[in-house]
């Protein structure tokens, strides 16, 4: 089940990662505005999304390896942090959009905005939750692997 979850996250993260940067690129190419400091936010979201994609791509085989009790390849800590940051940014953005929706007080547009806000929040929570869950599984796997090695050493001495 975890491997399927990774594949779904890979498919979902690609458009979420590329959309903010693509939007800023479109605006800068066709609308010709001046680059403002607030435009760094979507660019940063795209960079975090690309790093999140790399994290999920590198760790997609972890769930299969955990079942086989094989050694798990290392994913750099930076990618773990950037993946969690990607999820947190999308959660914060959805909360901010919900707050702005509340401040504007437009009753007609609530449903359309909620169709946009709720999936962003769910993807953010899912990304962060999956990273912590995978980390917990890896720690359990390492503990079990060490414990089995100790048992193997104990068993060899008795013969």
């Amino acid at each position: 089940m975890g491997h399927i979850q990774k594949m779904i996250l890979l498919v979902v993260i690609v458009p979420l990662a590329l959309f903010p940067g693509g939007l800023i690129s479109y605006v800068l190419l066709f609308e010709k505005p001046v680059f403002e400091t607030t435009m760094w936010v979507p660019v940063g979201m795209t960079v975090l999304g690309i790093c999140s994609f790399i994290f999920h791509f590198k760790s997609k085989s972890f769930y299969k390896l955990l079942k086989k009790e094989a050694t798990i390849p290392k994913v750099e800590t930076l990618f773990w942090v950037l993946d969690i940051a990607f999820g947190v940014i999308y959660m914060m953005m959805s909360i901010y959009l919900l707050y702005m929706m509340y401040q504007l007080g437009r009753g007609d547009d609530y449903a359309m905005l909620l169709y946009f806000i709720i999936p962003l929040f769910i993807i953010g929570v899912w990304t962060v939750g999956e990273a912590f869950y995978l980390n917990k599984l890896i720690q359990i796997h390492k503990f079990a692997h060490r414990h089995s090695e100790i048992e193997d050493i104990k068993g060899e001495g008795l013969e």
Side-chain angles (χ1 to χ4, degrees):
M1 181 64 182
H3 190 68
I4 294 170
Q5 175 177 301
K6 274 291 188 189
M7 292 303 169
I8 293 170
L9 275 172
L10 280 169
V11 169
V12 169
I13 284 176
V14 169
L16 286 177
L18 298 179
F19 179 72
L23 184 64
I24 289 299
S25 298
Y26 173 80
V27 167
L28 289 175
L29 288 174
F30 296 109
E31 301 296 326
K32 307 272 189 226
V34 177
F35 190 84
E36 299 174 5
T37 55
T38 56
M39 292 182 179
W40 282 109
V41 173
V43 171
M45 290 172 66
T46 298
V47 170
L48 286 175
I50 291 169
C51 292
S52 179
F53 176 80
I54 292 170
F55 167 78
H56 289 293
F57 187 76
K58 283 186 169 187
S59 64
K60 71 180 167 48
S61 63
F62 281 17
Y63 288 104
K64 288 182 178 180
L65 293 175
L66 289 172
K67 292 178 184 175
K68 295 179 183 176
E69 297 184 12
T71 57
I72 298 173
K74 182 164 175 51
V75 174
E76 294 80 18
T77 307
L78 178 66
F79 285 116
W80 286 87
V81 171
L82 293 175
D83 179 56
I84 292 170
F86 175 74
V88 168
I89 290 295
Y90 271 91
M91 287 188 296
M92 289 175 45
M93 186 176 72
S94 62
I95 291 170
Y96 177 74
L97 290 173
L98 192 64
Y99 173 75
M100 291 303 295
M101 184 176 74
Y102 175 75
Q103 289 294 323
L104 293 176
R106 292 185 185 169
D108 301 338
D109 298 332
Y110 279 171
M112 289 303 290
L113 285 174
L114 286 177
Y115 289 139
F116 179 71
I117 293 171
I118 291 173
L120 288 180
F121 187 77
I122 290 172
I123 294 297
V125 169
W126 190 10
T127 302
V128 171
E130 195 275 334
F132 282 114
Y133 177 71
L134 184 60
N135 186 36
K136 184 178 178 179
L137 284 179
I138 290 170
Q139 297 306 320
I140 291 170
H141 175 74
K142 285 180 181 178
F143 177 76
H145 189 67
R146 273 188 251 134
H147 191 269
S148 69
E149 286 178 351
I150 291 171
E151 290 298 321
D152 289 343
I153 292 171
K154 285 182 184 177
E156 290 175 8
L158 294 175
E159 294 178 10

